[in-house]
Amino acid sequence: MKFTPVPIALAQCSKTFHGTRVLEPIDLTIGAGETLVLLGPSGCGKTTTLRIVAGLETPDAGGAVFFGGDDVTRLPIERRQVGMVFQSYALFPNLTVRGNVGYGLKIAKTEPALVRKRVDELLAMMRLEAHADKAIHQLSGGQRQRVALARALAREPRVLLLDEPLTALDARLRDTLRRDMNTLLRGLGITTVYVTHDQAEAMELGDRIVVMSAGRIEQIGTPREIYYRPANRAVAQFVGTINRLAGQWQENALATAGGCIHTPEGFAHDGPPELFFRPEDARLVAPERASLRGVVETVSFLGERTRVTVTGAAPEALVIDVTGRSQWAPGSAVGIEIAAEGLIALP
Ligand code: ATP
């Protein structure tokens, strides 16, 4: 099978339903072969954006969608050459696995020998050969998800669109399938738009992530940029856990209730007197060894790590992740060392 990836551009695409604007005008480009993840809380407009790419929704007047050089804004889904997987999979219950995967090809009046060859190839790719003649209700959730993917790929689409394809599965299976999905998408090299509200999925699968909230794009960046250089509080708080330290700027430091945090050379002290850091970018040490101190409040052993909350160092309790084996007693005084590269300033 051969996929010819196409770049996608959305220009000033907004969407209004019954007088309510649910998507503000957005501009978005997706490179040929790139996997772009739309991430955000429920109702933020991810699915609406995906449906505009698919041709299931038309943007409000003034918006345009391009696949390569083609303006596809008015083109319905069946003429856009997109493959789509829905959260519910929407498989045909009266067809076998083979029947589902080959359905689109049959409708397109593809020669039966080619349908068979293409379906066999997809069943092998998705490790479904042993299930080819089963009915859909005989399959596990993970197998159904793979049938839906195979069906979406059967007509060699220019673009693959996935709407929360792993959400219906239990957590452990989701982890495994996320890895499989990653391998698959990298191998196919197809332009993909992937909608999820799960940050782990977004981090693992996205070449770039678009963080959305309330119908707007908050940030577009690689997973590392989104995580380590969030554009604002909304992004910082939605993606992972983040700690806030607040106090007063001093020369080369931020003074807080628990002491001070030295800022790296060249750090601009012109914003509000606040610094942020991720739980894994700090260490707990003996109080006399650190310039920032607090008191251990809670200790949660999570296996591979232990999550400790510390009060008295900043206005709010700080969350610090330490190795699973290290032990801290609630009520004891601790020092907090934050890696200089872990300090984040937010607008
Ligand atoms: P979820 O993860 O819950 O699917 P989402 O980020 O994908 O959320 P959308 O499905 O894009 O969000 O919905 C954005 C907003 O638009 C929501 O408030 C939703 O209720 C509204 N909306 C979506 N489709 C329609 C429609 N056909 N008619 C009216 N309102 C709609």
Side-chain angles (χ1 to χ4, degrees), residues 9 19 150 197:
H197 63 264

Side-chain angles (χ1 to χ4, degrees), residues 30-338:
I30 307 159
E34 181 181 31
T35 298
L36 187 84
V37 175
L38 304 179
L39 174 70
S42 184
C44 70
K46 309 180 292 290
T47 298
T48 302
T49 306
L50 187 82
R51 288 170 62 85
I52 289 174
V53 176
L56 290 166
E57 291 307 345
T58 319
D60 294 347
V65 182
F66 298 90
F67 283 9
D70 304 337
D71 184 340
V72 298
T73 316
R74 305 281 147 202
L75 218 56
I77 183 166
E78 61 276 12
R79 294 184 53 206
R80 285 196 189 186
Q81 290 175 266
V82 298
M84 196 154 176
V85 175
F86 300 91
Q87 184 178 342
S88 63
Y89 310 147
L91 295 170
F92 306 119
N94 54 330
L95 297 181
T96 61
V97 168
R98 184 177 282 287
N100 266 278
V101 176
Y103 181 81
L105 292 168
K106 247 186 204 161
I107 292 294
K109 303 211 178 358
T110 310
E111 211 183 296
L114 181 59
V115 176
R116 185 146 196 108
K117 177 170 172 283
R118 187 75 66 76
V119 171
D120 282 343
E121 215 175 316
L122 284 160
L123 292 177
M125 187 193 289
M126 300 296 168
R127 302 190 314 276
L128 287 166
E129 298 105 314
H131 309 286
D133 300 311
K134 286 189 182 165
I136 297 303
H137 74 261
Q138 292 173 292
L139 303 181
S140 70
Q143 289 162 347
R144 285 176 205 208
Q145 192 262 345
R146 299 208 299 275
V147 175
L149 253 172
R151 186 180 63 178
L153 293 170
R155 291 181 67 187
E156 296 179 329
R158 297 197 286 176
V159 174
L160 182 61
L161 305 174
L162 304 164
D163 194 355
E164 309 239 12
L166 303 182
T167 301
L169 306 167
D170 70 69
R172 189 176 280 266
L173 186 59
R174 215 155 57 210
D175 282 355
T176 314
L177 289 182
R178 200 169 70 210
R179 229 164 301 137
D180 289 352
M181 182 78 82
N182 192 15
T183 311
L184 181 79
L185 294 180
R186 309 272 148 218
L188 292 175
I190 188 172
T191 309
T192 303
V193 185
Y194 190 109
V195 164
T196 184
H197 63 264
D198 180 317
Q199 42 166 302
E201 243 169 85
M203 295 277 172
E204 181 158 3
L205 298 176
D207 291 313
R208 286 185 305 150
I209 298 174
V210 179
V211 183
M212 299 182 67
S213 87
R216 278 173 220 281
I217 293 177
E218 298 284 355
Q219 188 173 3
I220 304 177
T222 64
R224 278 171 187 274
E225 283 165 354
I226 298 282
Y227 191 75
Y228 289 120
R229 279 187 277 136
N232 56 43
R233 278 160 203 253
V235 176
Q237 284 163 356
F238 188 71
V239 179
T241 301
I242 200 151
N243 290 299
R244 185 176 83 104
L245 298 161
Q248 289 90 42
W249 289 128
Q250 290 179 345
E251 200 179 333
N252 301 327
L254 177 74
T256 73
C260 72
I261 305 99
H262 297 285
T263 47
E265 212 172 304
F267 188 92
H269 294 106
D270 48 2
E274 287 178 331
L275 286 169
F276 297 78
F277 67 96
R278 300 288 185 189
E280 68 279 12
D281 281 332
R283 293 198 311 145
L284 294 181
V285 296
E288 63 277 10
R289 287 187 45 208
S291 59
L292 181 66
R293 286 170 285 275
V295 175
V296 173
E297 184 183 42
T298 64
V299 179
S300 311
F301 173 63
L302 302 170
E304 83 285 6
R305 65 198 154 101
T306 293
R307 178 156 278 199
V308 179
T309 60
V310 176
T311 56
E316 296 112 37
L318 301 176
V319 178
I320 316 268
D321 285 343
V322 296
T323 61
R325 290 188 191 281
S326 59
Q327 297 193 32
W328 298 90
S332 55
V334 282
I336 303 152
E337 258 181 24
I338 305 166

